[in-house]
Amino acid sequence: MAELHVIGSIVGASGFEGQNIFCKWGITAGRSWDLLEGLDKGQTQVDHPEDGEIAVWEHPLDIHYICKGLSGWPKLHFQVWSQDSHGRNDISGYGFCHIPTAAGVYDIDCPTWLPEGSLGERLTGFFVGGHPRLRWEEVVHSPGDRFRLQTVAGGMIHLHLGIVTKDFERHNVHTGS
Amino acid sequence: MDTPSSFTVMATGQLEAGEIPYCDNAYCKYQLVHGEDWQRLDGLEDGITQVTRQSAGPDKLLVWNFPLDVTYKSTNAFGWPQLILSVYGLDALGRDVVKGYGCIHLPTCAGRYVLKVRLYRPKSASTVHAFTSWLTGMPAEFSDPKFPSYAEGREVTRVVSNGHVKVQINIMTKDMEMFGYVDGSQATGGGSHNVRHL
């Protein structure tokens, strides 16, 4: 049984419209992975950055996994939301990234995208507000069933992750670190 | 040699400088927090820097050059130490006014790092509170100074980000391999100059 520590933070995001943005995050892993300690999902604070600056979340991550097999290496997935002056939340981006497999310290930029919807939906979105959302959010981190989606680019999420592995070498697994 | 009962992590470095718009006089408070399996062996876990005035140069730095030196032992990487910073400015009446909070984990991989800790401060919870804090010149503060290190309960918090602090940290580890841990320092050759550019 090998163990994986993910220690770091969701630093923030840049390139999103909207002034007040926050992020809902989670980790999914395969069936041979178990969460020992720490939180595998959460929601960041709402930041109101100065114009042109990145939004700061500095959301600490400290996650301890134990694994019996390598398949289903954990991945982080994100939903970025923006909050308007009336307190209404609207989706601004979906994205995911794999946890690096090699131990070390990483700065990771995770790109995001947004479903565009039909012309009618876009018109409603323009006048009333509210973007189309995904009905099946697993699409964000699974490869199947994406080909019918029309999407548009969103902003970038910035992560700072420290990866510490335990006992992988003892089981002859080389992570390249 | 006996098998060690714990591994050791040593962090040395300095709170180098702050760069905060609309703030020309400030001090920085630091505090280190860690998980249950961790124990401090040596060094100070909290401290307060001097009050510094902005440099006259074009970079407008608030230089603290304040030493950090702490050693921990642990048996579990979970609960890796976090460095919490809170920066306070002094107003015309000599009162401490919060300028920003920030928090990072100490790097998990041995080497030298120059980290940029971005600062943010909470927004007032209500309009009335926002008005009184504007009137008195005292912005909202976190009631729990350790709040920046928590992963839970952040969804109800609204903040304004402003400025950053530059922190230099050297990390040294001992006996982590004995516990089966790999921190990745072999791959980067250790001593790598990791700079956070964000």
Side-chain angles (χ1 to χ4, degrees):
Chain A
M1 298 268 245
E3 294 170 38
L4 176 74
H5 289 271
V6 183
I7 296 165
S9 63
I10 307 173
V11 176
S14 54
F16 285 95
E17 289 170 21
Q19 276 289 321
N20 294 294
I21 59 171
F22 65 95
C23 172
K24 290 182 187 176
W25 62 276
I27 293 199
T28 50
R31 261 175 303 182
S32 47
W33 293 75
D34 283 314
L35 182 73
L36 273 187
E37 296 169 283
L39 300 168
D40 64 351
K41 58 176 180 296
Q43 189 177 319
T44 69
Q45 60 201 18
V46 185
D47 186 29
H48 184 114
E50 300 271 315
D51 279 340
E53 295 285 318
I54 83 165
V56 177
W57 294 324
E58 253 173 21
H59 190 96
L61 300 176
D62 193 343
I63 304 153
H64 187 182
Y65 269 106
I66 189 161
C67 70
K68 297 187 280 283
L70 288 175
S71 68
W73 194 276
K75 37 196 169 187
L76 277 159
H77 53 87
F78 307 98
Q79 289 178 15
V80 179
W81 292 76
S82 64
Q83 202 170 63
D84 70 6
S85 49
H86 306 289
R88 292 180 304 185
N89 298 332
D90 192 11
I91 189 79
S92 292
Y94 293 98
F96 97 97
C97 74
H98 271 102
I99 304 287
T101 51
V105 175
Y106 300 88
D107 281 316
I108 297 171
D109 288 343
C110 173
T112 64
W113 51 270
L114 201 57
E116 204 169 33
S118 64
L119 182 67
E121 283 168 327
R122 267 182 279 167
L123 274 174
T124 337
F126 181 78
F127 288 109
V128 187
H131 277 101
R133 284 184 221 161
L134 293 177
R135 186 171 293 163
W136 292 284
E137 280 160 3
E138 302 82 68
V139 172
V140 175
H141 51 81
S142 57
D145 224 20
R146 269 213 207 181
F147 71 101
R148 275 168 302 178
L149 268 177
Q150 170 67 50
T151 66
V152 61
M156 197 72 97
I157 301 170
H158 309 290
L159 305 161
H160 184 73
L161 298 182
I163 308 297
V164 178
T165 58
K166 185 177 193 277
D167 294 338
F168 278 88
E169 304 275 299
R170 217 174 66 188
H171 294 90
N172 298 318
V173 178
H174 292 283
T175 55
S177 56
Chain B
M1 227 170 83
D2 300 337
T3 16
S5 60
S6 59
F7 64 83
T8 313
V9 176
M10 183 170 131
T12 60
Q14 59 170 288
L15 302 177
E16 196 178 310
E19 211 171 327
I20 303 161
Y22 314 113
C23 173
D24 56 3
N25 211 3
Y27 67 90
C28 180
K29 233 193 256 187
Y30 84 86
Q31 189 175 15
L32 283 150
V33 294
H34 52 79
E36 285 172 8
D37 301 316
W38 290 72
Q39 202 188 334
R40 182 177 59 96
L41 284 182
D42 189 31
L44 294 173
E45 278 191 305
D46 41 38
I48 302 187
T49 70
Q50 75 276 23
V51 185
T52 184
R53 195 181 297 285
Q54 221 170 41
S55 61
D59 47 359
K60 302 256 166 120
L61 286 178
L62 297 152
V63 176
W64 290 305
N65 184 229
F66 190 82
L68 288 177
D69 191 345
V70 68
T71 310
Y72 285 102
K73 72 169 187 180
S74 177
T75 49
N76 181 4
F78 183 77
W80 197 276
Q82 285 170 289
L83 173 69
I84 307 171
L85 302 178
S86 27
V87 178
Y88 293 87
L90 293 178
D91 69 1
L93 302 172
R95 296 177 303 181
D96 303 334
V97 181
V98 69
K99 293 295 177 186
Y101 297 88
C103 180
I104 46 160
H105 278 99
L106 297 183
T108 53
C109 171
R112 179 178 185 272
Y113 300 84
V114 180
L115 302 172
K116 194 170 170 179
V117 184
R118 295 185 170 272
L119 302 177
Y120 53 88
R121 58 190 154 78
K123 272 192 185 173
S124 301
S126 66
T127 329
V128 179
H129 191 222
F131 180 69
T132 47
S133 65
W134 173 80
L135 212 59
T136 56
M138 297 299 282
E141 293 181 29
F142 287 128
S143 55
D144 183 353
K146 290 182 183 165
F147 178 87
S149 67
Y150 301 153
E152 273 174 302
R154 294 176 87 99
E155 60 272 18
V156 289
T157 314
R158 303 183 63 163
V159 303
V160 189
S161 51
N162 191 26
H164 65 263
V165 174
K166 215 164 128 187
V167 182
Q168 268 183 39
I169 300 181
N170 303 288
I171 298 287
M172 236 157 67
T173 62
K174 181 181 181 295
D175 297 330
M176 278 190 78
E177 288 77 14
M178 305 272 190
F179 282 78
Y181 283 115
V182 175
D183 67 354
S185 56
Q186 265 81 27
T188 52
S192 55
H193 294 253
N194 292 293
V195 182
R196 232 164 117 179
H197 288 293
L198 289 175

